[in-house]
Amino acid sequence: MGEAVVEVLRPVGKARKDEGKSATPFHLRILAEEILRKRGGEALSRVAPALSEACVDLNPHQLEAATFGLESLATGGCVFGDEVGLGKTVEAGLVIAQLASEGRGRILILAPAPLRAQWRDELWDKFGLTAECVDGPSAKAAGRMNPFDLPVPLICSVPFAVNRPDQLKRIPWDLVVIDEAHRLRNAYKVSHKTGRAMRESLTGVPKLLLTATPLQNSLLELYGLVSLLDETILGPEDAFRALYGQLLHPPPPPGAPDEKKILAERQDLMNDLKERISPVVQRTLRRQVREYVKYTNRRSIVEDFRPSEKEQLLYDKVSEYLCREELAAIAPERRTLLTLCYRKLLGSSTFAIASTLEKLADSLEAKVGRAEEVARAQALHMGELFSGHENEDDQDGLEDEIRRIYEEEAEELLDDGEVGKKKPMTLSDCKQELKELREMVDLARSIRVNAKGDSLVRALSRSFTVAAAHGWPEKAVIFTESRRTQDYLKDLLEKNGFDGLVSILCGDGSGPEERKALVTEFREQTKILISTEAGAEGLNLQFCNLLINYDLPWNPQRVEQRIGRCHRYGQKRDVLVINMVNRSNAAEARLYELLEQKLNLFDGVFGASDEVLGALDSGVDFERRVLDIYQSCRSESEIDDAFNRLRSEMEGKISNRMQEARGVLMERFDDQVRARLKVAVGQAKEVIQKSEEQAKTLALSVLGDDASVEGDLIDVHHLPQALLDAAGGELAGGLYSVGTAAQAREQGARKLGPGAPIVKAAAKLVKSLPTEGVSFLSLDASRASPNLAPLFGKEGWWFVYKLEAGSGEPEERIAHVVLVREGGVYRALDLDTGALFVEIPARETIQRPSGGGTVSVTTAQENALSRAQAAVKLELEARRGAGADKARERWDRFTEECLEKPRRRIADAKAEWESSRKALLLEADDRERARLRRQRDSAEREYRRGLDQLRLEEQRRFGDKERAIADVMKKAAVGEIRRSLLASAYWFLG
């Protein structure tokens, strides 16, 4: 490049006096190309800009997930299925940040409504990305024709998106992230309107699905999630059921006939399934990362309480009422769901159950009034009147909050007829039931003091005393399942020393901003947060290490989710879990024992693993089993027997689950995972350090005296016009930091990394400069790699080329063609050795080639360049070819599986035709032969009609496959390796 380039650079910045070295124009051109080049297939170096500028710890499992996710986008995306608390949001954030830095910012994040603000804040706090939350009111206020048409990442709920399918599909999305994706586990069903809308609106769009439980109850849930990515991965549902049907059922018990054969078949099926999903599912377990992610312990204690006589009387009366076979006040088809909820409210507080009973009584009284009018005309059973269920939500007495908690499981909890089979009831029966309901309401209203609440006050006082003595935060999260209990507890605590120190969080009408404000209030001002189940969804409360289960859920998965609010990555202290348990209630005591001893929910480092929780078929099923015990067992011995049977069943399921289903979900050997992650984090640190050094060198060389350096801080006090022009817009001056992104934020500075706008602008500026002649460089041998020792004292040529391949998805490589002069000829170094030259400190020199420049380099240069092109072509063709082969195999298998059902129908039709022909030949009776002829002809017509339909279906399916494969091959094509000379130098290594 020579003096001409130096002159061009001087208006922008000249060689710095305050730096130990300055980059030559030759090196600047290389740095500029490195920062701007397209890095397809180099996931680790590709994600370096996002890692460099992220305010996150460099956890290797998250790095592995981010690179896995980036590589998967070309084939439709993947599932991030790490266990809870391992930072799936960070993994997705790294992918989002990297795409945004590459100018691919059309990103949609679909998250539960309460989590939208949290996503927006984390993208800004951790990655410096501006994102916008969109909902109905904000979209209407903005007045845009398409609410999704924004230049920044957009965050909205799934319902908001699927209710606008036409607008959704008009946007050329670069990525769609779906948080809490397990909510869409049934999306494969034809009847699932949300799933159908998602598939139709987002076909062909790369997706990241985030869920801690990719496999809970059935392989069909995993099938549903993977099908959201791409239906070709696991094929059509009927083919999946036909192929993997064995895995949808439990394995045979020990000693069963053909046990070994069946288990071997199941293992083959699992291996096949694992091979199909491994390219699209990334999962790490907490125990695999314990070496570098330091989890604190969780400890638990029981706060026992004994109800007063009046409380116990109310409990007994309501419990007996709920156990009756015939009830007029509760709709029979919702008996299971409502009974479960009523029992939860009964165990929560007298205040929670009182209002519920009163509403039930009011509803029944209205029915009785209508029935009496009919009874005056004629005496009839009341079956018709009392089976009506219009406006059920107004009559069942449930709080909106508790209805929200169970809305996802309502389909599973709708009555199956086993609980409360309804019979017609007489008017007299209904009046008696109404009288009893009113009596229970009066009893509940008369109880103003709850033993459970008083016990809570004592537990809090003791815990805060201990916390103060140890210097721990005096903060507690209290979980209840009832809004009415929540109000009661707030009033109770404020009257007992916590006035003004209690925050309330629930799911009723609290938007993202309100939730964020409440969490801030709890962290900075108040001591106690009383939260409902729906209210706490998705919260990060690592600053609190005391959690109280005022109402203990029956669903183990809900227990784990609660504890996970506090016991998660970032928690600095052991988490204490206090469980309020009435041990005088045999069923409640045994339930706690089961959760604590068998599932290990409350103690240890990890609590219950996702595999153990998933072994319970579903948390809803577990709740139903517990409800059955409450409903059917009358004595303590019956309760013990029932819980013993439940525990025994659980042990068998957990054992089977740990041995089999865990293997299906890409369980990896822990030691192998740890070893690989160690290597990954070491490589990542090297890549980040190198890219940050390149960014710093380039920026400082271009800025010159327009910036001053003090420690890790760079003060850009003037932005040259040439740099602003290269940026194509505004650039920020002021303080930049070459420390970590977190340190930069603490210093009030911007992070100077490879993805920083000022660095990219500097790279564009240098790249725009004309390439001059030859640079003459003196390389410092004392700081060269030991691998270059044989070259000390040598000299030669150094040509830097950019090699570009592919058109659909181009990739670029920088090739260093280094020639060593050996007498009258030049010998080319291999590419890896040549790449080491760029790490050697260099300065421009007036020294010139010894013996003159008469030796030709053209042949050696061309031969070395041809080898470089061939090596790059071979590497790209091997990698892209392997990817294309996998895509082809996926489409081949999908097409055949789609055709399997119609081909089976044809085989059946042909068999029917052949059977009718044989029957005709064997028949002697003339009348029967006439009937069989008609049957034969009908069967033939059906067979031929099916053949025609099959041919059309085959043409359609094969056509779809050919078009898809053509697109795959187009993207995979390498073609000729295009080359362009970036810079030339003659070097002296001494």
Side-chain angles (χ1 to χ4, degrees):
M1 292 167 68
E3 286 296 317
V5 176
V6 175
E7 290 300 324
V8 172
L9 281 173
R10 274 180 184 145
V12 181
K14 55 188 177 182
R16 304 184 55 81
K17 296 176 182 179
D18 55 347
E19 289 291 300
K21 65 175 182 177
S22 59
T24 67
F26 174 87
H27 286 81
L28 285 182
R29 182 59 186 266
I30 298 173
L31 292 180
E33 293 287 349
E34 278 288 355
I35 285 172
L36 295 177
R37 75 182 175 91
K38 302 178 181 67
R39 286 178 163 81
E42 300 175 67
L44 192 56
S45 62
R46 181 183 173 192
V47 80
L51 288 169
S52 172
E53 297 176 35
C55 291
V56 297
D57 296 332
L58 185 58
N59 287 321
H61 72 280
Q62 294 172 331
L63 170 64
E64 182 185 46
T67 55
F68 183 93
L70 280 170
E71 290 174 339
S72 75
L73 297 185
T75 54
C78 68
V79 177
F80 284 166
D82 289 356
E83 273 192 307
V84 65
L86 286 180
K88 290 179 289 297
T89 305
V90 171
E91 295 167 359
L94 287 170
V95 176
I96 293 169
Q98 185 54 40
L99 291 181
S101 75
E102 295 172 1
R104 299 165 64 187
R106 289 285 193 175
I107 297 167
L108 175 66
I109 301 164
L110 300 177
L115 304 186
R116 289 174 301 169
Q118 181 176 316
W119 263 98
R120 181 198 60 202
D121 296 343
E122 289 214 7
L123 286 177
W124 173 252
D125 293 340
K126 290 184 169 66
F127 304 101
L129 291 177
T130 299
E132 186 166 330
C133 294
V134 179
D135 56 16
S138 65
K140 186 175 181 180
R144 289 187 298 271
M145 292 185 64
N146 189 335
F148 302 110
D149 193 6
L150 289 168
V152 297
L154 186 148
I155 307 165
C156 68
S157 67
V158 169
F160 179 86
V162 299
N163 288 334
R164 297 161 177 80
D166 292 337
Q167 295 169 312
L168 188 64
K169 67 174 64 172
R170 289 195 189 107
I171 305 299
W173 299 108
D174 295 304
L175 174 67
V176 171
V177 178
I178 305 177
D179 194 12
E180 303 291 341
H182 51 270
R183 295 183 173 199
L184 297 172
R185 58 186 179 271
N186 294 322
Y188 67 93
K189 296 180 179 178
V190 177
S191 59
H192 199 285
K193 294 181 180 178
T194 299
R196 187 170 66 249
M198 294 273 283
R199 287 192 298 273
E200 293 173 355
S201 303
L202 299 173
T203 298
V205 176
K207 305 175 190 71
L208 294 181
L209 308 184
L210 278 54
T211 173
T213 51
L215 176 58
Q216 281 184 293
N217 314 329
S218 166
L219 282 177
L220 287 172
E221 294 178 354
L222 179 62
Y223 171 82
L225 290 177
V226 173
S227 296
L228 271 180
L229 295 175
D230 188 336
E231 64 176 355
T232 67
I233 298 172
L234 293 178
E237 181 189 350
D238 57 342
F240 183 85
R241 287 179 179 273
L243 179 58
Y244 301 110
Q246 280 196 47
L247 300 181
L248 300 177
H249 304 287
D258 296 326
E259 177 191 2
K260 290 185 178 179
K261 178 184 176 184
I262 294 172
L263 291 178
E265 291 173 351
R266 292 173 70 90
Q267 186 61 52
D268 289 342
L269 289 174
M270 283 190 293
N271 291 339
D272 179 63
L273 180 57
K274 184 175 181 177
E275 184 178 344
R276 295 177 79 171
I277 66 173
S278 59
V280 295
V281 182
Q282 170 72 15
R283 179 170 170 81
T284 303
L285 307 180
R286 286 173 290 191
R287 67 168 186 265
Q288 295 170 334
V289 300
R290 189 176 180 182
E291 185 174 336
Y292 56 87
V293 177
K294 303 303 181 185
Y295 281 97
T296 60
N297 279 297
R298 56 173 71 174
R299 299 180 293 110
S300 70
I301 59 175
V302 173
E303 184 67 24
D304 197 2
F305 67 94
R306 186 173 294 275
S308 66
E309 289 186 11
K310 289 180 71 174
E311 287 180 281
Q312 188 62 49
L313 178 62
L314 175 65
Y315 181 91
D316 292 340
K317 283 181 173 291
V318 176
S319 186
E320 185 277 329
Y321 171 76
L322 293 175
C323 288
R324 295 178 189 175
E325 288 189 8
E326 301 169 11
L327 290 176
I330 302 177
E333 66 279 359
R334 305 177 76 212
R335 181 74 182 271
T336 300
L337 171 63
L338 295 178
T339 301
L340 173 65
C341 295
Y342 296 151
R343 283 203 172 274
K344 296 294 187 67
L345 294 173
L346 177 62
S348 181
S349 70
T350 59
F351 305 92
I353 196 62
S355 296
T356 299
L357 293 172
E358 187 168 40
K359 199 136 189 186
L360 275 178
D362 292 344
S363 173
L364 182 56
E365 187 171 38
K367 292 179 180 180
V368 168
R370 295 196 302 272
E372 284 181 323
E373 293 179 6
V374 176
R376 293 188 188 100
Q378 63 184 109
L380 292 173
H381 282 290
M382 300 289 95
E384 182 177 350
L385 282 171
F386 289 100
S387 64
H389 50 272
E390 61 279 351
N391 299 320
E392 283 176 347
D393 286 352
D394 296 329
Q395 299 176 14
D396 58 27
L398 287 185
E399 306 169 20
D400 290 339
E401 176 76 4
I402 203 165
R403 187 180 288 111
R404 277 195 61 195
I405 292 173
Y406 292 97
E407 64 182 357
E408 283 187 25
E409 292 115 7
E411 183 178 332
E412 297 178 61
L413 286 170
L414 288 180
D415 208 318
D416 54 10
E418 294 178 2
V419 179
K421 294 180 180 179
K422 183 92 177 248
K423 298 178 181 178
M425 298 181 66
T426 65
L427 181 58
S428 174
D429 293 334
C430 297
K431 287 183 175 181
Q432 178 60 31
E433 182 177 330
L434 175 59
K435 177 176 178 293
E436 293 176 11
L437 278 172
R438 292 296 184 197
E439 290 173 352
M440 287 187 283
V441 171
D442 293 340
L443 176 58
R445 295 288 189 202
S446 71
I447 302 171
R448 307 309 302 167
V449 175
N450 282 197
K452 188 178 179 181
D454 290 347
S455 182
L456 171 69
V457 173
R458 293 192 296 271
L460 272 174
S461 298
R462 288 197 308 271
S463 300
F464 281 176
T465 299
V466 173
H470 288 80
W472 299 336
E474 293 181 47
K475 293 190 180 293
V477 182
I478 302 172
F479 280 102
T480 177
E481 292 193 307
S482 166
R483 281 284 286 113
R484 295 166 191 146
T485 299
Q486 191 180 45
D487 293 338
Y488 152 67
L489 291 178
K490 183 175 187 296
D491 182 64
L492 175 68
L493 292 172
E494 288 183 338
K495 291 177 180 177
N496 284 274
F498 298 102
D499 188 25
L501 298 176
V502 181
S503 297
I504 294 290
L505 181 59
C506 63
D508 293 344
S510 57
E513 298 301 331
E514 292 87 347
R515 287 162 55 84
K516 180 183 176 183
L518 280 168
V519 172
T520 301
E521 177 187 89
F522 176 45
R523 181 174 55 244
E524 299 177 358
Q525 300 175 27
T526 60
K527 290 187 173 184
I528 298 168
L529 174 67
I530 309 175
S531 178
T532 59
E533 206 82 49
E537 185 178 51
L539 289 184
N540 295 326
L541 303 174
Q542 298 98 320
F543 57 87
C544 175
N545 69 322
L546 174 59
L547 182 145
I548 300 176
N549 284 313
Y550 188 79
D551 301 329
L552 188 63
W554 294 357
N555 185 334
Q557 291 162 356
R558 291 197 187 282
V559 177
E560 182 61 36
Q561 287 164 2
R562 283 183 178 185
I563 299 174
R565 300 302 102 218
C566 299
H567 189 248
R568 60 194 297 114
Y569 179 69
Q571 174 61 258
K572 305 299 183 185
R573 303 172 180 86
D574 289 351
V575 172
L576 176 62
V577 181
I578 298 178
N579 298 294
M580 310 294 295
V581 179
N582 173 15
R583 281 183 166 154
S584 64
N585 183 314
E588 187 169 332
R590 285 302 308 272
L591 172 63
Y592 174 77
E593 177 187 312
L594 196 61
L595 296 175
E596 192 267 339
Q597 294 183 10
K598 186 59 195 173
L599 298 183
N600 301 313
L601 279 171
F602 304 114
D603 294 292
V605 176
F606 302 134
S609 71
D610 291 343
E611 300 136 328
V612 170
L613 293 177
L616 304 181
D617 292 336
S618 80
V620 183
D621 179 70
F622 187 84
E623 284 181 302
R624 186 196 292 268
R625 292 295 304 278
V626 174
L627 176 61
D628 288 344
I629 295 174
Y630 272 83
Q631 290 292 98
S632 61
C633 298
R634 297 293 182 267
S635 67
E636 190 167 330
S637 62
E638 289 179 337
I639 291 172
D640 280 342
D641 290 343
F643 270 106
N644 285 337
R645 287 193 298 273
L646 179 56
R647 176 171 182 151
S648 178
E649 290 179 25
M650 284 172 51
E651 288 172 345
K653 288 180 178 179
I654 290 172
S655 176
N656 290 335
R657 174 74 170 217
M658 300 288 275
Q659 293 175 16
E660 182 173 81
R662 184 176 66 184
V664 174
L665 248 189
M666 61 282 140
E667 177 70 28
R668 302 170 293 175
F669 292 111
D670 292 357
D671 290 343
Q672 294 177 357
V673 172
R674 293 190 186 105
R676 191 180 64 255
L677 292 181
K678 276 185 180 179
V679 173
V681 77
Q683 292 175 338
K685 287 179 178 178
E686 290 180 8
V687 169
I688 293 171
Q689 182 180 2
K690 182 177 179 180
S691 65
E692 289 184 339
E693 288 175 353
Q694 290 174 342
K696 176 184 176 182
T697 300
L698 179 64
L700 289 178
S701 295
V702 169
L703 287 167
D705 290 334
D706 287 324
S708 55
V709 180
E710 184 174 345
D712 284 344
L713 289 176
I714 299 171
D715 186 5
V716 180
H717 41 77
H718 176 256
L719 289 168
Q721 187 60 46
L723 196 60
L724 291 171
D725 292 342
E730 295 184 357
L731 276 180
L735 287 179
Y736 284 83
S737 173
V738 294
T740 66
Q743 290 169 340
R745 187 164 297 182
E746 291 172 1
Q747 296 165 331
R750 292 176 175 83
K751 168 66 180 174
L752 187 75
I758 195 170
V759 173
K760 289 194 171 183
K764 291 176 182 177
L765 173 59
V766 171
K767 190 175 177 180
S768 69
L769 299 176
T771 301
E772 295 296 326
V774 177
S775 295
F776 293 91
L777 303 176
S778 175
L779 308 181
D780 186 352
S782 67
R783 298 171 67 180
S785 167
N787 294 334
L788 299 179
L791 301 179
F792 291 179
K794 301 281 188 178
E795 62 184 71
W797 285 97
W798 181 0
F799 302 99
V800 183
Y801 287 90
K802 178 170 69 176
L803 306 180
E804 185 176 4
S807 55
E809 294 182 356
E811 297 184 37
E812 296 173 345
R813 299 283 192 275
I814 304 298
H816 296 269
V817 175
V818 178
L819 308 178
V820 182
R821 184 167 182 172
E822 296 181 341
V825 296
Y826 284 95
R827 174 176 61 86
L829 301 178
D830 63 81
L831 291 179
D832 290 338
T833 303
L836 296 175
F837 271 59
V838 80
E839 307 295 335
I840 309 174
R843 60 180 176 80
E844 292 190 314
T845 179
I846 59 173
Q847 187 177 357
R848 293 298 180 264
S850 59
T854 58
V855 180
S856 173
V857 300
T858 304
T859 302
Q861 178 185 2
E862 282 298 324
N863 289 341
L865 183 58
S866 295
R867 288 195 295 272
Q869 288 176 288
V872 170
K873 185 178 180 67
L874 186 64
E875 181 258 317
L876 291 180
E877 285 181 339
R879 175 167 51 80
R880 291 188 171 197
D885 289 341
K886 291 178 181 178
R888 172 64 187 258
E889 172 59 25
R890 181 191 295 182
W891 268 99
D892 283 342
R893 188 163 184 172
F894 174 71
T895 302
E896 291 303 303
E897 288 177 339
C898 288
L899 293 172
E900 185 177 333
K901 188 174 182 178
R903 285 171 176 168
R904 195 163 52 245
R905 282 200 301 265
I906 288 298
D908 292 342
K910 183 179 181 181
E912 179 68 23
W913 177 42
E914 291 174 343
S915 175
S916 64
R917 286 157 49 199
K918 289 179 181 179
L920 175 60
L921 295 176
L922 296 174
E923 183 57 54
D925 183 75
D926 290 341
R927 182 174 297 180
E928 182 62 16
R929 285 172 63 84
R931 186 189 68 79
L932 288 173
R933 290 190 191 97
R934 291 192 298 272
Q935 180 177 313
R936 176 202 60 192
D937 294 344
S938 175
E940 181 182 6
R941 287 193 298 272
E942 187 65 27
Y943 171 54
R944 293 174 66 177
R945 184 162 47 248
L947 282 174
D948 291 339
Q949 292 172 347
L950 176 60
R951 292 188 188 101
L952 291 174
E953 181 68 5
E954 286 179 333
Q955 288 177 3
R956 184 175 74 86
R957 291 293 181 183
F958 286 131
D960 290 345
K961 183 179 80 169
E962 288 168 2
R963 285 187 290 273
I965 291 174
D967 184 57
V968 168
M969 298 308 295
K970 180 179 179 181
K971 292 179 179 178
V974 175
E976 293 301 316
I977 304 298
R978 301 177 295 281
R979 70 189 196 189
S980 54
L981 180 64
L982 301 179
S984 304
Y986 196 89
W987 56 269
F988 304 89
L989 183 59

